[in-house]
């Protein structure tokens, strides 16, 4: 046993020495939100763990706040190999041709984090990640951000209060349909452009988890936020499949370990960070935060339930039903 342990130690030392002797493998990790958001902090945690576990064989460079690539540029950059890691919001995969991910945009399909994690950590979530491989992309993990609230410069207490308003959304056919169901005017816009658009009145309102609303200072140009929790915003951490498969197996194993731990970290802090951000929005005095009554929230659920049926042909009825099975959601019983 001592000889076997010694041999294993020498092999491990040899891998480390070889890796350190060579130039480190550089992984560029680009994202579009602030460093002090759940995603921003999780990216920094992955950097810390990846560099630690590979003993310097890997160097992770994190580019936050769209400093390297903007929303519309980053996916192509990944496929071309110009960047190695992204954590785009799940809405980004529909335009890529992987429409299954648009199920995450369906309003009120998840009643909190417990329901959500039944999907993202289970077989349905793994099946969805595997769909990316045909696009040259390897799906590594799901990271939470949080549940979204509507904001505008006028009070939002009923679905009718959003009628006619120009509402910023990500590029997503489901979110377009959601806004049309509310008789709003969906405005697709890059995340980095939203603050100025709200400030100048190009758009009237938006939907965001509280950490995004606060760190991008959108609350400074929105007088009202309503805690509708109508939709989920999360991310898929992805890499270029050719790059990932081409890594030395010992290095890839350590990166996988770092990803598992940073995912646990990301999903632990997401709710905490959003709660802190909401408290900061309230404390700012710039925005009135409104909590829907159960009856008011039910009115939003009923107003948005038709979106599920309308999107079946796009997303896949079987996939939507498999999510209902995991979570117990039944729109017919609203």
């Amino acid at each position: 046993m001592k000889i076997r342990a010694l041999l294993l130690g020498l092999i491990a030392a040899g891998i480390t020495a070889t890796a350190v002797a060579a130039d480190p493998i550089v992984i560029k990790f680009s994202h579009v939100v602030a460093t002090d958001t759940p995603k921003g902090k999780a990216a920094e945690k992955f950097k810390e763990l990846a560099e630690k576990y590979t003993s310097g064989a890997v160097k992770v460079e994190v580019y936050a706040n769209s400093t390297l690539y903007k929303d519309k540029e980053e996916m192509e950059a990944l496929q071309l190999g110009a960047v190695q890691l992204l954590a785009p919001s799940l809405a980004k995969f529909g335009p890529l041709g992987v429409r299954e991910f648009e199920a995450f945009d369906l309003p009120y399909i998840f009643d909190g984090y417990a329901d959500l994690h039944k999907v993202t950590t289970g077989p349905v979530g793994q099946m969805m990640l595997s769909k990316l491989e045909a696009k040259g992309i390897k799906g590594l993990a799901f990271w939470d951000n949080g549940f979204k609230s509507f904001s505008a410069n006028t009070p939002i207490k009923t679905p009718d209060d959003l009628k006619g308003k120009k509402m910023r959304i990500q590029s997503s056919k489901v979110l377009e349909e959601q806004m049309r169901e509310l008789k709003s005017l969906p405005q697709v816009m890059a995340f980095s452009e939203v603050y100025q658009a709200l400030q100048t009145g190009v758009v009237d309102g938006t939907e965001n988890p509280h950490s995004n609303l606060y760190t991008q200072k959108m609350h400074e140009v929105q007088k009202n936020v309503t805690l509708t929790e109508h939709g989920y915003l999360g991310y898929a951490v992805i890499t270029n499949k050719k790059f990932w498969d081409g890594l030395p197996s010992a290095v890839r194993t350590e990166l996988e370990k770092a990803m598992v731990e940073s995912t646990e970290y990301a999903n632990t802090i997401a709710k905490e960070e959003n709660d802190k951000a909401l408290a900061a929005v309230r404390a700012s005095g710039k925005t009135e935060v409104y909590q829907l009554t159960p009856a008011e929230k039910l009115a939003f659920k009923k107003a948005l339930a038709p979106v599920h049926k309308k999107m079946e042909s796009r997303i896949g009825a079987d996939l939507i039903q498999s999510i209902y099975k995991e979570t117990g959601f039944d729109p017919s019983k609203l």
Side-chain angles (χ1 to χ4, degrees):
M1 291 295 290
K2 289 182 180 178
I3 293 172
R4 181 172 182 272
L6 178 60
L7 286 171
L8 287 172
L10 289 170
I11 290 168
I15 289 171
T16 302
T18 300
V20 172
D23 290 335
I25 298 166
V26 175
I27 294 179
K28 294 180 180 178
F29 191 159
S30 174
H31 65 81
V32 302
V33 298
T35 302
D36 54 350
T37 58
K39 178 164 68 171
K41 290 185 175 184
E44 295 296 333
K45 175 62 73 172
F46 175 76
K47 170 184 169 66
E48 172 196 331
L49 296 175
E51 293 178 351
K52 173 185 173 182
Y53 292 154
T54 62
S55 302
V58 168
K59 179 184 178 184
V60 180
E61 298 175 352
V62 180
Y63 297 87
N65 259 333
S66 305
T67 53
L68 192 60
Y69 294 105
K70 293 185 178 182
D71 270 341
K72 296 177 182 178
E73 306 164 343
E74 59 178 14
M75 199 75 78
E76 184 180 6
L78 183 83
Q79 290 175 301
L80 293 173
V83 63
Q84 289 72 47
L85 270 183
L86 301 176
S89 61
L90 299 169
K92 297 293 189 299
F93 296 101
L96 189 67
V98 189
R99 293 179 177 177
E100 289 87 350
F101 281 80
E102 293 183 349
F104 287 104
D105 287 339
L106 290 169
Y108 291 112
I109 194 167
F110 303 112
D111 190 18
Y113 289 101
D115 279 356
L116 167 72
H117 292 156
K118 290 174 185 175
V119 175
T120 56
T121 64
V124 175
Q126 292 307 303
M127 177 277 292
M128 295 169 81
L129 288 177
S130 71
K131 295 285 186 180
L132 297 171
E133 298 200 2
K135 304 294 182 181
I137 294 170
K138 173 77 175 174
L140 301 175
F142 289 103
W143 284 1
D144 290 344
N145 185 335
F147 288 86
K148 297 182 286 187
S149 292
F150 283 125
S151 68
N153 284 324
T154 52
I156 305 165
K157 296 183 179 181
T158 72
D160 284 346
D161 291 332
L162 290 171
K163 185 176 181 180
K165 293 197 180 300
K166 296 174 289 184
M167 300 294 289
R168 181 267 170 177
I169 59 167
Q170 300 184 75
S171 179
S172 164
K173 296 299 182 185
V174 177
L175 296 181
E176 286 182 23
E177 187 59 42
Q178 168 191 280
M179 292 306 183
R180 290 193 185 100
E181 204 67 38
L182 294 171
K183 297 181 175 60
S184 301
L185 305 172
Q187 308 290 309
V188 176
M189 182 178 294
F191 186 68
S192 59
E193 299 170 5
V194 179
Y195 177 89
Q196 186 175 7
L198 291 169
Q199 186 180 42
T200 58
V202 172
V203 294
D204 299 313
T206 186
E207 53 167 20
N208 274 295
H210 308 132
S211 61
N212 281 4
L213 183 85
Y214 180 68
T215 58
Q216 295 295 318
K217 299 183 179 180
M218 295 181 200
H219 67 292
E220 295 182 357
V221 287
Q222 293 280 264
K223 294 178 181 177
N224 300 87
V225 172
T226 296
L227 309 184
T228 47
E229 298 179 314
H230 61 280
Y232 168 71
L233 178 63
Y235 312 105
V237 186
I238 59 175
T239 185
N240 180 292
K241 187 175 186 300
K242 184 177 179 181
F243 165 79
W244 192 257
D245 291 347
L247 289 170
S249 60
V251 170
R252 188 168 57 247
T253 297
E254 296 305 319
L255 291 179
E256 287 170 347
K257 178 182 175 183
M259 184 56 66
V260 168
E261 292 184 22
S262 56
T263 298
E264 291 173 355
Y265 171 79
N267 294 348
T268 298
I269 67 168
K271 185 178 186 303
E272 178 184 324
E273 290 295 313
N274 278 293
D275 288 346
K276 285 181 181 177
L278 180 59
V281 169
R282 283 190 166 114
S284 75
K286 296 177 182 295
T287 306
E288 183 175 340
V289 177
Y290 183 72
Q291 177 72 60
L292 293 174
T293 67
E296 288 169 337
K297 190 167 186 178
L298 182 59
F300 273 95
K301 287 184 176 181
K302 287 181 175 180
L304 291 170
V307 177
H308 291 222
K309 194 69 178 176
K310 289 181 178 180
M311 290 290 108
E312 276 186 355
S313 61
R314 180 176 177 86
I315 297 170
D318 289 345
L319 174 59
I320 293 173
Q321 288 299 323
S322 70
I323 293 174
Y324 289 169
K325 186 176 179 180
E326 290 289 337
T327 65
F329 181 71
D330 186 349
S332 69
K333 293 183 178 180
L334 290 175

